[in-house]
Amino acid sequence: VNQVELARLQAAVRSAKRALTAIEGLGKDYAESAKELAEAISAASQERVLVAIVGSAKRGKSTLVNGLLGRRDDTLAPIGRFPATNVVSVFGAGDALKARVFFRSGEPRQISEHEIREYACEDRNPSNQKQVERIEVEGPFPGIDRRTLLIDLPGTDNAMAEQHSQTLYAFLPRAAAIIFMTTADAPINAAEQGLLRHIHGLGIAGIFFAVNKKDYVRLGELDEAELADGIAHNRKIIEDAGFSSPKIHVISAKDYLEAKPDSGVETLARSVQQLVEEQRITLIADRLEARLRLVLEAVRARCTD
């Protein structure tokens, strides 16, 4: 660990704790800001990099998550005909498989892996009527080391777009790295363009772009020229959103889930792992400092109302 960067992180934690004490002293009207900052401090103190997988619905985000977890099923990150994920799911390394659901109020509940769908999916928990804040799952996952938390987020641009987008956008400032997923069969849409611009504005250093479903070429649903045109089109949109010279990983999350060769996910996963190894403390300090600024801006705005 770089001692200079570690000292920077420790200083950021101390500053955030001082600010938290001051905000708590303002009374219950500022409870949400205090809660947000307390969560940011707790997350930074764990010294784990939050890697969020984002994009529109049906881009294959949960398929990629299941593959990285070493699963061959969708029990932990459900997949369905309709947009499935409607809450935040957090996956981390652990010695044994455990799952807990956290609610917006009340105590968290230990659940079995087979109960996850009851809380995570739109068909079992429509419009998040069960008031789930997040689901946390830990276990011996081969694609996640103990320095990383993998986040599966709701997608944009679907029938439940407003609620899902609110959940997605509220979580994004916590992410230290992002895998932005598109697909080879459809260009980046308007909702994704807005999401790209928002992510660029957050100043998150670790951004990875992935074009999923390259297996469509093998299956005859796309030819190589169509795939190349789609990648070039998406690259132009990504550049227009402010990302210069983006590296785009062409992958098949489905092939990776099914342990087929040449999925492209292995290269993407190695790139993410390299970032974590080389810049973990810097990424965490960046996020804590950014979140502290956001909380203080919200508090100041409230004070002047």
Side-chain angles (χ1 to χ4, degrees), residues 20 23 29-38 295 298-299 302:
L20 176 60
I23 293 169
D29 289 345
Y30 297 85
E32 282 301 313
S33 292
K35 180 182 177 182
E36 168 71 14
L37 188 52
V295 169
V299 169
R302 190 176 182 87

Side-chain angles (χ1 to χ4, degrees), residues 199-219:
I199 290 171
H200 185 266
L202 291 173
I204 297 171
I207 308 290
F208 300 87
F209 299 100
V211 173
N212 189 26
K213 301 186 181 181
K214 75 168 189 172
D215 52 293
Y216 276 26
V217 173
R218 187 184 74 247
L219 297 173

Side-chain angles (χ1 to χ4, degrees), residues 45-274:
S45 298
Q46 294 179 38
E47 296 186 7
R48 284 174 143 184
V49 174
L50 273 64
V51 180
I53 301 180
V54 305
S56 281
K58 314 308 293 179
R59 293 299 201 188
K61 300 186 302 296
S62 295
T63 302
L64 177 60
V65 169
N66 284 307
L68 292 172
L69 298 180
R71 304 286 293 211
R72 297 293 175 261
D73 57 40
D74 69 337
T75 303
L76 300 184
I79 303 164
R81 280 185 59 198
F82 303 103
T85 305
N86 69 350
V87 300
V88 175
S89 295
V90 182
F91 300 93
D95 296 327
L97 186 62
K98 291 189 293 187
R100 288 188 299 172
V101 56
F102 290 78
F103 301 95
R104 290 174 180 166
S105 61
E107 295 297 315
R109 182 181 304 164
Q110 190 95 12
I111 59 174
S112 74
E113 62 179 286
H114 300 289
E115 294 178 278
I116 290 174
R117 191 176 293 270
E118 301 298 321
Y119 299 96
C121 293
E122 190 65 34
D123 59 343
R124 308 288 179 89
N125 181 19
S127 299
N128 194 16
Q129 292 176 356
K130 297 176 183 177
Q131 296 293 293
V132 175
E133 183 177 88
R134 69 186 184 278
I135 297 169
E136 292 186 358
V137 185
E138 66 175 50
F141 303 134
I144 308 176
D145 66 23
R146 293 182 183 270
R147 300 166 297 182
T148 305
L149 292 173
L150 188 66
I151 317 297
D152 190 15
L153 292 169
T156 59
D157 194 41
N158 62 69
M160 291 72 67
E162 182 176 354
Q163 182 225 335
H164 287 192
S165 291
Q166 288 174 355
T167 301
L168 167 63
Y169 277 80
F171 187 88
L172 282 175
R174 306 182 186 190
I178 285 176
I179 298 173
F180 191 98
M181 286 187 67
T182 63
T183 51
D185 63 327
I188 292 174
N189 59 41
E192 288 169 313
Q193 290 178 44
L195 180 57
L196 276 168
R197 290 191 293 270
H198 182 79
I199 290 171
H200 185 266
L202 291 173
I204 297 171
I207 308 290
F208 300 87
F209 299 100
V211 173
N212 189 26
K213 301 186 181 181
K214 75 168 189 172
D215 52 293
Y216 276 26
V217 173
R218 187 184 74 247
L219 297 173
E221 298 186 37
L222 286 175
D223 60 35
E224 291 285 357
E226 289 171 324
L227 175 61
D229 287 345
I231 294 169
H233 178 80
N234 284 353
R235 182 183 299 278
K236 177 66 165 57
I237 293 175
I238 292 168
E239 290 175 342
D240 288 346
F243 298 94
S244 60
S245 304
K247 176 174 175 53
I248 297 177
H249 296 264
V250 184
I251 68 170
S252 169
K254 185 175 183 291
D255 282 355
Y256 185 71
L257 181 72
E258 296 173 355
K260 292 179 179 175
D262 194 32
S263 71
V265 174
E266 297 88 347
T267 302
L268 171 61
R270 282 195 299 270
S271 296
V272 175
Q273 184 178 10
Q274 182 178 0

